[in-house]
Amino acid sequence: MADFESLTQSVISGREAQVREQTAAMVAAGVKPLEIINQGLIAGMNIVGPRFKNGDMFVPEVLMAAKAMAAGIEIVRPLIADTDMPSIGKILIGTVRGDLHDIGKNLVAMMLESGGFTVINLGIDIPAEKFVAAIKEHKPGVVGMSALLTTTMLNMKEVIDLINEEGLQVKCIIGGAPISQEFADEIGADGYAPDAASAVELCKKLLAAS
C-alpha cells in the first residue's frame, strides 16, 4: 500500500530531498504515476493553498512546498505520456513591461501548476506585443499579469487594449501589491486576485464559465 499521506506531508513541509526519495520509492514499487501526482504531490499543495490564504503559512514556506512538489513531478513526468498529464486549462502569465518583480508571479505560477493547470511563464518586463504573440502561439484560456509598482500598473491596460484590438478571445486577470478590484474594473480585466490561492480559484471559475 503506497503511503500517499507521508508523501503529502513531505510536500507540505517542503522537504525536497525526502519528496524525491519517496517518489522514487513509489515508482520503484510500481505505483501508478498519476496516482503519485494526484494523491501524493498535488494533494499536498491542495492543503498548502488554503493554509497560505488563511495566513497559517507564509511565502517562503509555500515556495519550499511548491519546489518539493515540482521535484517529485520531475521524477514522475517522464513516465507519463503528455496526453495523460492532467491539465485543467492553459494559463499564460507574466510581469508587465517596466516591472522586474517575479516572486509573487512565480508563486502564482507554481500554485496554478499544482492546481492542475499548464502554465506558460513569460518572465518579467514583458511588453504588450510579447503577451499578444504568446497568446497567439499558446492559445491559453487565461492571461495573468502582475505588477508591483504603481508606475507599471497602467501597462496592464496596454496589454488588455492590444488583446482587444487583435480580437483575441482570452480572459485577463491581474494581481500585485498596488492592484485592486476597482483598478481591474477600470481597465477592463476579467478578474483580480489578491493572492496566489485566489488566483487559482479565479482561473478555475473563469475557465468553467467560458
Side-chain angles (χ1 to χ4, degrees), residues 51-69:
R51 280 191 188 172
F52 174 56
K53 207 173 170 184
N54 297 335
D56 300 327
M57 281 179 88
F58 301 99
V59 171
E61 296 165 298
V62 177
L63 288 171
M64 281 169 69
K67 220 172 141 203
M69 183 205 78

PDB file of all heavy atoms in Angstrom, residues 51-69:
ATOM      1  N   ARG A  51      -4.071  26.983   3.479  1.00  0.00           N
ATOM      2  CA  ARG A  51      -3.323  27.410   4.678  1.00  0.00           C
ATOM      3  C   ARG A  51      -2.657  28.768   4.428  1.00  0.00           C
ATOM      4  O   ARG A  51      -2.611  29.624   5.298  1.00  0.00           O
ATOM      5  CB  ARG A  51      -2.236  26.377   5.031  1.00  0.00           C
ATOM      6  CG  ARG A  51      -2.785  25.196   5.767  1.00  0.00           C
ATOM      7  CD  ARG A  51      -1.652  24.338   6.319  1.00  0.00           C
ATOM      8  NE  ARG A  51      -2.164  23.089   6.862  1.00  0.00           N
ATOM      9  CZ  ARG A  51      -1.387  22.092   7.260  1.00  0.00           C
ATOM     10  NH1 ARG A  51      -0.071  22.198   7.166  1.00  0.00           N
ATOM     11  NH2 ARG A  51      -1.913  20.987   7.744  1.00  0.00           N
ATOM     12  N   PHE A  52      -2.131  28.923   3.229  1.00  0.00           N
ATOM     13  CA  PHE A  52      -1.478  30.179   2.852  1.00  0.00           C
ATOM     14  C   PHE A  52      -2.501  31.316   2.856  1.00  0.00           C
ATOM     15  O   PHE A  52      -2.264  32.407   3.359  1.00  0.00           O
ATOM     16  CB  PHE A  52      -0.843  30.013   1.458  1.00  0.00           C
ATOM     17  CG  PHE A  52      -0.253  31.272   0.888  1.00  0.00           C
ATOM     18  CD1 PHE A  52       0.712  31.987   1.576  1.00  0.00           C
ATOM     19  CD2 PHE A  52      -0.656  31.739  -0.353  1.00  0.00           C
ATOM     20  CE1 PHE A  52       1.261  33.141   1.039  1.00  0.00           C
ATOM     21  CE2 PHE A  52      -0.106  32.899  -0.897  1.00  0.00           C
ATOM     22  CZ  PHE A  52       0.848  33.603  -0.196  1.00  0.00           C
ATOM     23  N   LYS A  53      -3.666  31.015   2.300  1.00  0.00           N
ATOM     24  CA  LYS A  53      -4.730  32.019   2.210  1.00  0.00           C
ATOM     25  C   LYS A  53      -5.189  32.460   3.607  1.00  0.00           C
ATOM     26  O   LYS A  53      -5.503  33.618   3.833  1.00  0.00           O
ATOM     27  CB  LYS A  53      -5.908  31.421   1.434  1.00  0.00           C
ATOM     28  CG  LYS A  53      -6.727  32.466   0.752  1.00  0.00           C
ATOM     29  CD  LYS A  53      -7.772  31.858  -0.139  1.00  0.00           C
ATOM     30  CE  LYS A  53      -8.703  32.964  -0.577  1.00  0.00           C
ATOM     31  NZ  LYS A  53      -9.804  32.501  -1.353  1.00  0.00           N
ATOM     32  N   ASN A  54      -5.217  31.517   4.537  1.00  0.00           N
ATOM     33  CA  ASN A  54      -5.671  31.830   5.895  1.00  0.00           C
ATOM     34  C   ASN A  54      -4.579  32.434   6.761  1.00  0.00           C
ATOM     35  O   ASN A  54      -4.789  32.710   7.936  1.00  0.00           O
ATOM     36  CB  ASN A  54      -6.194  30.556   6.590  1.00  0.00           C
ATOM     37  CG  ASN A  54      -7.406  30.007   5.865  1.00  0.00           C
ATOM     38  OD1 ASN A  54      -8.106  30.745   5.193  1.00  0.00           O
ATOM     39  ND2 ASN A  54      -7.636  28.707   5.975  1.00  0.00           N
ATOM     40  N   GLY A  55      -3.387  32.570   6.199  1.00  0.00           N
ATOM     41  CA  GLY A  55      -2.291  33.162   6.969  1.00  0.00           C
ATOM     42  C   GLY A  55      -1.586  32.175   7.882  1.00  0.00           C
ATOM     43  O   GLY A  55      -0.811  32.558   8.760  1.00  0.00           O
ATOM     44  N   ASP A  56      -1.844  30.859   7.687  1.00  0.00           N
ATOM     45  CA  ASP A  56      -1.170  29.845   8.515  1.00  0.00           C
ATOM     46  C   ASP A  56       0.177  29.434   7.915  1.00  0.00           C
ATOM     47  O   ASP A  56       0.970  28.767   8.571  1.00  0.00           O
ATOM     48  CB  ASP A  56      -2.050  28.587   8.656  1.00  0.00           C
ATOM     49  CG  ASP A  56      -3.380  28.925   9.316  1.00  0.00           C
ATOM     50  OD1 ASP A  56      -3.393  29.832  10.160  1.00  0.00           O
ATOM     51  OD2 ASP A  56      -4.398  28.303   8.967  1.00  0.00           O
ATOM     52  N   MET A  57       0.394  29.794   6.648  1.00  0.00           N
ATOM     53  CA  MET A  57       1.692  29.535   6.011  1.00  0.00           C
ATOM     54  C   MET A  57       2.114  30.805   5.294  1.00  0.00           C
ATOM     55  O   MET A  57       1.274  31.592   4.876  1.00  0.00           O
ATOM     56  CB  MET A  57       1.592  28.388   4.992  1.00  0.00           C
ATOM     57  CG  MET A  57       1.603  27.014   5.614  1.00  0.00           C
ATOM     58  SD  MET A  57       1.450  25.693   4.372  1.00  0.00           S
ATOM     59  CE  MET A  57       3.166  25.416   3.933  1.00  0.00           C
ATOM     60  N   PHE A  58       3.429  30.972   5.137  1.00  0.00           N
ATOM     61  CA  PHE A  58       3.926  32.205   4.527  1.00  0.00           C
ATOM     62  C   PHE A  58       4.667  31.913   3.224  1.00  0.00           C
ATOM     63  O   PHE A  58       4.994  30.767   2.938  1.00  0.00           O
ATOM     64  CB  PHE A  58       4.809  32.955   5.524  1.00  0.00           C
ATOM     65  CG  PHE A  58       4.048  33.292   6.781  1.00  0.00           C
ATOM     66  CD1 PHE A  58       4.167  32.505   7.920  1.00  0.00           C
ATOM     67  CD2 PHE A  58       3.161  34.357   6.804  1.00  0.00           C
ATOM     68  CE1 PHE A  58       3.435  32.789   9.069  1.00  0.00           C
ATOM     69  CE2 PHE A  58       2.431  34.648   7.945  1.00  0.00           C
ATOM     70  CZ  PHE A  58       2.558  33.867   9.078  1.00  0.00           C
ATOM     71  N   VAL A  59       4.928  32.983   2.467  1.00  0.00           N
ATOM     72  CA  VAL A  59       5.503  32.814   1.121  1.00  0.00           C
ATOM     73  C   VAL A  59       6.713  31.879   1.083  1.00  0.00           C
ATOM     74  O   VAL A  59       6.753  30.963   0.267  1.00  0.00           O
ATOM     75  CB  VAL A  59       5.839  34.190   0.491  1.00  0.00           C
ATOM     76  CG1 VAL A  59       6.639  34.018  -0.792  1.00  0.00           C
ATOM     77  CG2 VAL A  59       4.550  34.950   0.187  1.00  0.00           C
ATOM     78  N   PRO A  60       7.725  32.044   1.958  1.00  0.00           N
ATOM     79  CA  PRO A  60       8.895  31.146   1.861  1.00  0.00           C
ATOM     80  C   PRO A  60       8.513  29.670   2.012  1.00  0.00           C
ATOM     81  O   PRO A  60       9.045  28.806   1.308  1.00  0.00           O
ATOM     82  CB  PRO A  60       9.795  31.590   3.021  1.00  0.00           C
ATOM     83  CG  PRO A  60       9.360  32.974   3.342  1.00  0.00           C
ATOM     84  CD  PRO A  60       7.887  33.043   3.025  1.00  0.00           C
ATOM     85  N   GLU A  61       7.565  29.399   2.931  1.00  0.00           N
ATOM     86  CA  GLU A  61       7.143  28.001   3.151  1.00  0.00           C
ATOM     87  C   GLU A  61       6.391  27.457   1.936  1.00  0.00           C
ATOM     88  O   GLU A  61       6.553  26.300   1.554  1.00  0.00           O
ATOM     89  CB  GLU A  61       6.220  27.919   4.372  1.00  0.00           C
ATOM     90  CG  GLU A  61       6.895  28.313   5.666  1.00  0.00           C
ATOM     91  CD  GLU A  61       5.883  28.565   6.774  1.00  0.00           C
ATOM     92  OE1 GLU A  61       5.055  29.475   6.655  1.00  0.00           O
ATOM     93  OE2 GLU A  61       5.929  27.818   7.762  1.00  0.00           O
ATOM     94  N   VAL A  62       5.570  28.331   1.338  1.00  0.00           N
ATOM     95  CA  VAL A  62       4.807  27.896   0.164  1.00  0.00           C
ATOM     96  C   VAL A  62       5.757  27.624  -0.997  1.00  0.00           C
ATOM     97  O   VAL A  62       5.598  26.643  -1.730  1.00  0.00           O
ATOM     98  CB  VAL A  62       3.753  28.965  -0.234  1.00  0.00           C
ATOM     99  CG1 VAL A  62       3.022  28.549  -1.501  1.00  0.00           C
ATOM    100  CG2 VAL A  62       2.750  29.154   0.894  1.00  0.00           C
ATOM    101  N   LEU A  63       6.761  28.482  -1.152  1.00  0.00           N
ATOM    102  CA  LEU A  63       7.739  28.279  -2.225  1.00  0.00           C
ATOM    103  C   LEU A  63       8.489  26.960  -2.023  1.00  0.00           C
ATOM    104  O   LEU A  63       8.736  26.224  -2.975  1.00  0.00           O
ATOM    105  CB  LEU A  63       8.742  29.444  -2.285  1.00  0.00           C
ATOM    106  CG  LEU A  63       8.186  30.767  -2.832  1.00  0.00           C
ATOM    107  CD1 LEU A  63       9.191  31.893  -2.644  1.00  0.00           C
ATOM    108  CD2 LEU A  63       7.817  30.654  -4.308  1.00  0.00           C
ATOM    109  N   MET A  64       8.825  26.667  -0.773  1.00  0.00           N
ATOM    110  CA  MET A  64       9.526  25.395  -0.495  1.00  0.00           C
ATOM    111  C   MET A  64       8.628  24.199  -0.810  1.00  0.00           C
ATOM    112  O   MET A  64       9.077  23.204  -1.379  1.00  0.00           O
ATOM    113  CB  MET A  64       9.975  25.347   0.970  1.00  0.00           C
ATOM    114  CG  MET A  64      11.245  26.154   1.230  1.00  0.00           C
ATOM    115  SD  MET A  64      11.563  26.328   3.002  1.00  0.00           S
ATOM    116  CE  MET A  64      11.976  24.641   3.434  1.00  0.00           C
ATOM    117  N   ALA A  65       7.360  24.311  -0.435  1.00  0.00           N
ATOM    118  CA  ALA A  65       6.418  23.219  -0.697  1.00  0.00           C
ATOM    119  C   ALA A  65       6.255  23.020  -2.208  1.00  0.00           C
ATOM    120  O   ALA A  65       6.278  21.889  -2.713  1.00  0.00           O
ATOM    121  CB  ALA A  65       5.069  23.521  -0.053  1.00  0.00           C
ATOM    122  N   ALA A  66       6.125  24.131  -2.930  1.00  0.00           N
ATOM    123  CA  ALA A  66       5.940  24.049  -4.387  1.00  0.00           C
ATOM    124  C   ALA A  66       7.182  23.458  -5.053  1.00  0.00           C
ATOM    125  O   ALA A  66       7.091  22.677  -5.998  1.00  0.00           O
ATOM    126  CB  ALA A  66       5.644  25.438  -4.947  1.00  0.00           C
ATOM    127  N   LYS A  67       8.351  23.825  -4.514  1.00  0.00           N
ATOM    128  CA  LYS A  67       9.608  23.303  -5.067  1.00  0.00           C
ATOM    129  C   LYS A  67       9.714  21.796  -4.812  1.00  0.00           C
ATOM    130  O   LYS A  67      10.157  21.022  -5.668  1.00  0.00           O
ATOM    131  CB  LYS A  67      10.770  24.027  -4.381  1.00  0.00           C
ATOM    132  CG  LYS A  67      11.890  24.360  -5.330  1.00  0.00           C
ATOM    133  CD  LYS A  67      12.931  25.236  -4.680  1.00  0.00           C
ATOM    134  CE  LYS A  67      14.281  24.767  -5.165  1.00  0.00           C
ATOM    135  NZ  LYS A  67      15.386  25.085  -4.321  1.00  0.00           N
ATOM    136  N   ALA A  68       9.294  21.391  -3.617  1.00  0.00           N
ATOM    137  CA  ALA A  68       9.325  19.964  -3.262  1.00  0.00           C
ATOM    138  C   ALA A  68       8.379  19.186  -4.180  1.00  0.00           C
ATOM    139  O   ALA A  68       8.724  18.124  -4.699  1.00  0.00           O
ATOM    140  CB  ALA A  68       8.918  19.780  -1.801  1.00  0.00           C
ATOM    141  N   MET A  69       7.183  19.741  -4.405  1.00  0.00           N
ATOM    142  CA  MET A  69       6.228  19.079  -5.284  1.00  0.00           C
ATOM    143  C   MET A  69       6.788  18.948  -6.702  1.00  0.00           C
ATOM    144  O   MET A  69       6.697  17.903  -7.336  1.00  0.00           O
ATOM    145  CB  MET A  69       4.908  19.859  -5.324  1.00  0.00           C
ATOM    146  CG  MET A  69       3.874  19.150  -6.175  1.00  0.00           C
ATOM    147  SD  MET A  69       2.619  20.227  -6.863  1.00  0.00           S
ATOM    148  CE  MET A  69       3.503  20.964  -8.212  1.00  0.00           C
TER     149      MET A  69
END
